[in-house]
Amino acid sequence: MGVGVGKAWRFSLLWTNLALLSQPNTKTKHVCWRSNTTPFHTRKPIWRSMLCWFMLFGLALVSLLTGHMASDLEWYSQHRTFYSALDGNYRAPIDIWESQYSKYFYGCSERGRRFAPAVSEQMSNGYLLIATSGGLNQQRTGITDAVVVARILNATLVVPELDHNSYWKDDSDFHNIFDVDWFISSLAKDVTIVKRVPDKFMRSMEKPPYTMRVPRKSEPEYYLDQVLPILLRRQVVQLTKFDYRLSNHLDDELQKLRCRVNYHALRFTKPIQELGQRIVTRMQKMAHRYIAVHLRFEPDMLAFSRCYYGGGEKEKHELGEIRKRWTTLPDLSSDGERKRGKCPLTPHEVGLMLRALGFTNDTYLYVASGEIYGGDETMQPLKDLFPNIYTKEMLADEELKPFLPFSSRLAAIDYIVCDESNVFVTNNNGNMAKIIAGRRRYMGHRRTIRPNTKKLSSLFMARHQMDWDTFAKKVKSCQRGFMGEPDEMRPGRGEFHEYPSSCICERTSVDEFTRDEYRPQVNLTGKA
């Protein structure tokens, strides 16, 4: 765009300079128009000058616009493959292992020059206590947003408390999972964070900390209007059930703070990090590249989804008992939920989708999962399609024993192996799927495949009515827009933790590449 404007501007200046040079004596001669009526020329020299300048201005404006348009059209024609692919109109096959357009985008979350430094503990408006909710990745969203809320309130954040009472019954504290010292120091310029409220301050308080729960997706104005006055009055406020309690839509500086927290400040403890990396290394030694599948097919997930998978009265009874935990769950039709794309894919359906996309049966899969509902019987169809399946239990039997009593630490190990995979695949759109998808976008748009469950559900039901080639072609068509390409991420779409658009920048040197570099190189079968 800058090139087009520059060419047009230079062109308009050239015409203006030529016009001026052709007027050595403006008192007797006008080059922009001539008149044989000498008295008019004598009486109206100002009118002629003004008209001349108006015409020159118009010429410059026209040349600016046409030059700009011509330059843009020329540039677009040279790079049409890239942009037509990004806008979804280009139908050429794509590489199933990696996005060829990822090199044009990168994560950027540096604080702006006008982003004021954090207020000191002594000068803050009080202490903010946060009690997170849910499993590891749901709590991760709460921790991330807690830092942003503390910034909004000019409060001192106390290291958040993790949920010990959720379905997973994990009594791990923050320092058991995350490097707490790194968390505090890396965010020191953004928010002041302490490990606890000072004892002398607690002893001087006349009342215990004020506890409240804010509505989901609250705007910053809510915190300023409803929470800040209480914080100023009581000096210590605790926010409970803190997950997704902050709006998706914030100004860019606060969004970038979210990214600094989630992708940089939340670093796992050394024991978790080391074991996770050892498992990654073992997968990489067996295979040049591998797929990580987050197979969220545990009993609690199926119960919450209100879906039915053909297990008869036994399934209905077992999942019905688990469903009693959620007293507010609506009674919805399982068939209706499947048609709306709300049901997780079965392990068999995940395998069919991957084979249809072009992954061969010698591909190595790492399965990140808890207890699979139905056990080996449910998993066998996936193993038949992909025999090279591994789990953390298979790759780190003895080393894993210290972590076994703690579901969140086990989830953290899976998080690392999934994040480091060449391709990440999920069968649902739960918290871990969203968090890892967002991170992989931020870290270079590494291939992330989310099933288009709404379209795939009807396709799976009808798969026996068509041959394999037809089925595979339809799966590929369904999955366009769900393969982790850069154009899938648009500002304001979905959860910010999944689509961190404010933290993704485009390389300005993209126009320096030749057209050949934009040309698709690998088809959907993964073969050159």
Side-chain angles (χ1 to χ4, degrees):
M1 183 176 292
V3 175
V5 172
K7 286 182 179 178
W9 182 244
R10 289 194 296 272
F11 182 71
S12 64
L13 285 179
L14 176 63
W15 274 98
T16 305
N17 289 335
L18 287 173
L20 292 174
L21 288 171
S22 64
Q23 303 180 55
N25 184 356
T26 57
K27 292 181 180 180
T28 59
K29 187 177 182 180
H30 291 270
V31 296
C32 51
W33 73 297
R34 294 180 184 271
S35 174
N36 295 323
T37 311
T38 306
F40 182 81
H41 170 267
T42 305
R43 291 193 306 269
K44 303 288 185 180
I46 298 177
W47 279 96
R48 291 189 176 186
S49 298
M50 290 179 63
L51 183 57
C52 179
W53 279 108
F54 274 122
M55 292 180 68
L56 288 173
F57 177 78
L59 179 62
L61 183 62
V62 170
S63 62
L64 173 66
L65 293 175
T66 55
H68 187 182
M69 290 170 62
S71 178
D72 275 358
L73 288 171
E74 179 185 3
W75 190 95
Y76 184 84
S77 67
Q78 291 175 351
H79 303 89
R80 61 188 178 274
T81 306
F82 175 65
Y83 274 99
S84 59
L86 289 187
D87 66 20
N89 295 325
Y90 188 65
R91 310 303 291 178
I94 60 173
D95 187 341
I96 54 176
W97 283 101
E98 61 181 342
S99 170
Q100 62 182 306
Y101 305 115
S102 62
K103 61 185 176 182
Y104 305 112
F105 300 88
Y106 63 97
C108 52
S109 60
E110 298 81 5
R111 63 183 61 82
R113 294 180 179 179
R114 297 185 179 181
F115 199 61
V119 296
S120 65
E121 183 178 355
Q122 294 74 21
M123 298 298 293
S124 72
N125 290 328
Y127 294 91
L128 183 66
L129 303 173
I130 295 291
T132 60
S133 178
L136 174 66
N137 293 286
Q138 188 173 339
Q139 293 182 87
R140 193 180 185 108
T141 66
I143 296 166
T144 298
D145 288 350
V147 174
V148 180
V149 169
R151 172 77 191 197
I152 292 169
L153 297 173
N154 271 336
T156 296
L157 177 67
V158 180
V159 171
E161 298 176 10
L162 301 190
D163 188 353
H164 296 164
N165 301 310
S166 67
Y167 174 85
W168 295 271
K169 304 295 182 184
D170 189 330
D171 60 1
S172 298
D173 290 319
F174 191 100
H175 70 274
N176 298 126
I177 298 176
F178 301 107
D179 185 335
V180 65
D181 293 325
W182 171 256
F183 177 72
I184 294 172
S185 62
S186 65
L187 294 170
K189 293 182 180 180
D190 299 308
V191 173
T192 298
I193 305 174
V194 296
K195 294 182 179 180
R196 63 184 65 85
V197 179
D199 292 337
K200 62 179 181 180
F201 188 87
M202 292 292 289
R203 288 193 295 267
S204 66
M205 291 176 58
E206 297 179 358
K207 299 179 180 180
Y210 186 89
T211 301
M212 63 184 297
R213 186 186 301 180
V214 300
R216 291 176 69 84
K217 308 294 178 62
S218 293
E219 299 289 339
E221 290 74 19
Y222 177 89
Y223 287 94
L224 294 173
D225 294 340
Q226 303 297 324
V227 181
L228 181 58
I230 301 173
L231 180 65
L232 292 171
R233 186 169 65 251
R234 299 291 294 270
Q235 289 298 291
V236 182
V237 170
Q238 182 179 47
L239 303 181
T240 62
K241 288 282 183 180
F242 201 80
D243 61 307
Y244 299 103
R245 303 288 163 175
L246 184 60
S247 170
N248 274 317
H249 308 292
L250 305 174
D251 68 62
D252 281 352
E253 283 298 334
L254 291 180
Q255 299 287 46
K256 287 179 181 292
L257 176 56
R258 266 177 164 160
C259 295
R260 291 198 292 277
V261 179
N262 201 0
Y263 307 134
H264 299 283
L266 284 177
R267 189 165 70 182
F268 291 122
T269 59
K270 189 175 180 180
I272 292 175
Q273 191 68 35
E274 287 180 345
L275 180 54
Q277 288 298 331
R278 282 200 294 272
I279 295 175
V280 170
T281 301
R282 288 163 190 170
M283 285 297 299
Q284 291 173 339
K285 284 183 177 179
M286 290 187 293
H288 173 61
R289 50 193 182 184
Y290 70 93
I291 299 174
V293 181
H294 180 226
L295 205 55
R296 191 74 166 87
F297 207 72
E298 296 93 342
D300 68 296
M301 179 66 180
L302 303 189
F304 187 81
S305 70
R306 302 175 297 280
C307 298
Y308 174 68
Y309 291 92
E313 291 301 318
K314 179 183 178 182
E315 176 186 324
K316 293 178 181 178
H317 174 73
E318 290 174 344
L319 299 184
E321 288 298 308
I322 299 173
R323 198 172 293 124
K324 291 178 181 179
R325 293 178 48 241
W326 299 287
T327 57
T328 59
L329 277 183
D331 188 15
L332 300 175
S333 163
S334 59
D335 290 339
E337 290 298 277
R338 179 171 286 275
K339 289 178 181 178
R340 286 190 288 272
K342 301 299 183 181
C343 295
L345 299 185
T346 67
H348 186 206
E349 289 170 339
V350 171
L352 288 173
M353 177 187 71
L354 293 177
R355 289 296 298 272
L357 288 174
F359 293 102
T360 55
N361 70 339
D362 59 350
T363 302
Y364 279 69
L365 266 60
Y366 175 86
V367 174
S369 176
E371 173 195 358
I372 295 294
Y373 183 71
D376 291 339
E377 184 179 352
T378 303
M379 285 294 294
Q380 191 57 48
L382 177 61
K383 293 178 180 178
D384 291 341
L385 292 169
F386 293 96
N388 299 311
I389 288 182
Y390 293 88
T391 64
K392 56 184 175 294
E393 290 80 8
M394 297 168 65
L395 296 171
D397 185 20
E398 290 297 321
E399 299 157 289
L400 204 61
K401 286 184 177 180
F403 299 91
L404 292 178
F406 309 102
S407 59
S408 290
R409 301 182 209 185
L410 293 174
I413 293 170
D414 275 339
Y415 181 103
I416 293 170
V417 186
C418 289
D419 182 46
E420 294 288 338
S421 66
N422 300 92
V423 175
F424 174 63
V425 180
T426 177
N427 73 332
N428 72 99
N429 203 29
N431 293 301
M432 182 170 175
K434 291 176 181 177
I435 289 290
I436 294 185
R439 177 178 172 83
R440 289 172 70 88
R441 288 186 172 97
Y442 180 82
M443 295 298 181
H445 280 92
R446 287 175 289 175
R447 177 66 73 213
T448 301
I449 300 175
R450 299 174 300 117
N452 183 355
T453 51
K454 188 173 183 178
K455 291 186 177 181
L456 287 176
S457 61
S458 59
L459 186 58
F460 285 131
M461 293 176 66
R463 71 180 184 273
H464 297 300
Q465 302 172 15
M466 62 188 83
D467 59 49
W468 175 257
D469 289 341
T470 301
F471 174 75
K473 182 179 179 180
K474 289 181 178 292
V475 169
K476 292 171 186 176
S477 177
C478 288
Q479 282 303 115
R480 287 193 177 275
F482 291 80
M483 299 290 288
E485 289 292 319
D487 67 314
E488 296 173 16
M489 189 181 66
R490 298 184 179 94
R493 176 179 175 178
E495 296 285 349
F496 181 79
H497 300 287
E498 183 179 5
Y499 296 97
S501 54
S502 299
C503 303
I504 307 294
C505 293
E506 186 175 354
R507 299 188 188 280
T508 57
S509 59
V510 64
D511 58 342
E512 296 176 3
F513 295 98
T514 64
R515 180 168 55 184
D516 289 339
E517 290 182 278
Y518 293 89
R519 192 171 297 156
Q521 299 171 351
V522 185
N523 60 29
L524 258 177
T525 65
K527 299 176 182 178

